Amino acid sequence: MATSHWRLIAAISCVTLFFHAAIFAAPSDKPPFYQVQWQGKSAYLLGSIHIGNSDFYPLPEQIETALSKAKGLVVEVDINKVDSRALLQKYGMADGTKGLDWQNRDKQTVESMTLYCASRVNVCQSIQSFAPWLQATQLNLLRYNGLGYSTDYGVDAQLMARNKTLPVFELETAESQFQLLATFDSQEQWSMVRDAISVSDDELLSLITAWRSGDETELDTIMQEQMGGEGDTRIIDKILWQRNHTMAEGILKLMDASDVPAPLFVVIGAGHVVGDKSVVQLLKQAGAKVTACWSGTCL
């Protein structure tokens, strides 16, 4: 079992987005950013993270310029259309998935949570009715909050809030994301909880550092660590690679549609745009021209 399951939660956008200050420029940031050209149309593709702080904004000038040209915003999930209460009840509660005994924790989990909760009684009581994957999500967010990061400054949330006049198109549904996390078995989900507790601050911050610096090799390495062991690709295949096909197909379908304006600005989790099974590679394989904007010329 992987020791990095907390990263699975960072790869899913909608869950973290459920849950202002002075603005400073971040001119040195170079998050994954591309231009996609397909069938005579153009779109911009930004790899995002779903937590942040005020000094992420405004985004680098090239990204802000692309945003100013955009006629539509494409996201993983349009959070303004989400019935979070219904989805949490269906997929996120301890008794929400039949056939899995969420309360039957293994000895390692009991020991880990007992130690963690000793000084955080209120936190642990507030999440005890949740399914383990959702407990892991909440603990992960609390860890990031303690380091000064918040979902309020997540890239997806900020772009939707700042561009309310643009039509919004989604590549997935909130239910599909919740359903996916709920399909992990209880052993895998309790492992997510343990990892959310034990992961070091340095590991948490490494994702942000890699994103801000545009280190796509490091971002890919971080994602690969989700595999669960050498040669075991079950989890990353489910959480990233299968969804990459859905996203790449969705982007091209939108660009093909006569009633969808161009150019589009697409923002998806950074884990989906790096590596040899990424959305970027799938778009190229489909025949689209994809230009890395930091090393090439984007129009």
Side-chain angles (χ1 to χ4, degrees):
M1 190 61 58
T3 58
S4 309
H5 280 123
W6 64 270
R7 301 187 202 275
L8 297 177
I9 305 304
I12 292 286
S13 69
C14 180
V15 176
T16 62
L17 289 175
F18 286 143
F19 299 115
H20 294 277
I23 302 298
F24 303 94
S28 63
D29 286 359
K30 290 187 176 181
F33 185 51
Y34 298 85
Q35 184 180 40
V36 181
Q37 293 170 290
W38 170 257
Q39 305 291 16
K41 291 186 178 181
S42 179
Y44 299 96
L45 173 61
L46 175 64
S48 74
I49 53 177
H50 309 304
I51 47 87
N53 61 31
S54 62
D55 72 1
F56 281 22
Y57 307 100
L59 293 167
E61 183 179 358
Q62 187 169 188
I63 297 175
E64 293 288 352
T65 299
L67 267 169
S68 70
K69 298 177 181 178
K71 304 300 182 184
L73 185 63
V74 182
V75 294
E76 292 179 30
V77 170
D78 183 351
I79 59 174
N80 295 318
K81 297 180 180 178
V82 174
D83 184 348
S84 58
R85 183 185 298 272
L87 290 176
L88 288 172
Q89 186 62 44
K90 186 174 182 179
Y91 298 107
M93 307 309 291
D95 60 351
T97 306
K98 296 180 180 179
L100 294 175
D101 183 3
W102 300 129
Q103 304 309 318
N104 187 19
R105 297 174 297 171
D106 58 276
K107 182 180 179 181
Q108 185 180 2
T109 301
V110 171
E111 291 176 351
S112 179
M113 293 192 71
T114 298
L115 181 62
Y116 178 82
C117 293
S119 59
R120 302 171 182 86
V121 176
N122 291 339
V123 168
C124 293
Q125 287 180 342
S126 71
I127 65 173
Q128 65 183 356
S129 62
F130 295 159
W133 71 261
L134 187 54
Q135 292 188 34
T137 301
Q138 297 303 300
L139 293 174
N140 189 53
L141 293 180
L142 284 171
R143 293 290 307 279
Y144 272 116
N145 289 345
L147 294 170
Y149 295 91
S150 165
T151 55
D152 290 342
Y153 288 107
V155 178
D156 312 60
Q158 283 286 313
L159 293 191
M160 291 189 71
R162 291 168 47 201
N163 297 275
K164 292 182 178 179
T165 61
L166 291 177
V168 177
F169 306 91
E170 57 183 2
L171 298 172
E172 298 182 309
T173 65
E175 182 157 15
S176 71
Q177 292 192 347
F178 273 71
Q179 189 175 38
L180 173 61
L181 286 166
T183 60
F184 288 103
D185 65 36
S186 56
Q187 181 181 1
E188 290 169 326
Q189 292 197 35
W190 284 123
S191 179
M192 293 178 192
V193 173
R194 294 196 304 273
D195 294 337
I197 290 172
S198 64
V199 63
S200 71
D201 289 351
D202 285 344
E203 285 186 90
L204 289 170
L205 293 172
S206 68
L207 180 67
I208 296 172
T209 300
W211 178 79
R212 298 193 76 164
S213 66
D215 189 340
E216 297 193 15
T217 299
E218 177 63 15
L219 280 170
D220 186 36
T221 298
I222 289 172
M223 294 302 127
Q224 293 293 331
E225 289 177 359
Q226 298 173 22
M227 287 184 179
E230 186 176 353
D232 182 0
T233 61
R234 291 176 306 111
I235 294 176
I236 197 169
D237 180 66
K238 195 175 190 179
I239 206 84
L240 283 180
W241 295 341
Q242 291 181 26
R243 294 172 61 220
N244 287 349
H245 285 273
T246 299
M247 292 184 188
E249 291 165 5
I251 291 168
L252 294 181
K253 184 176 180 180
L254 287 169
M255 294 182 74
D256 272 333
S258 60
D259 58 344
V260 174
L264 293 170
F265 192 98
V266 183
V267 54
I268 59 179
H272 295 289
V273 302
V274 298
D276 59 5
K277 298 179 185 293
S278 67
V279 169
V280 167
Q281 296 304 316
L282 292 173
L283 291 172
K284 290 180 178 178
Q285 291 168 20
K289 179 182 178 181
V290 184
T291 303
C293 294
W294 302 120
S295 58
T297 301
C298 292
L299 305 177

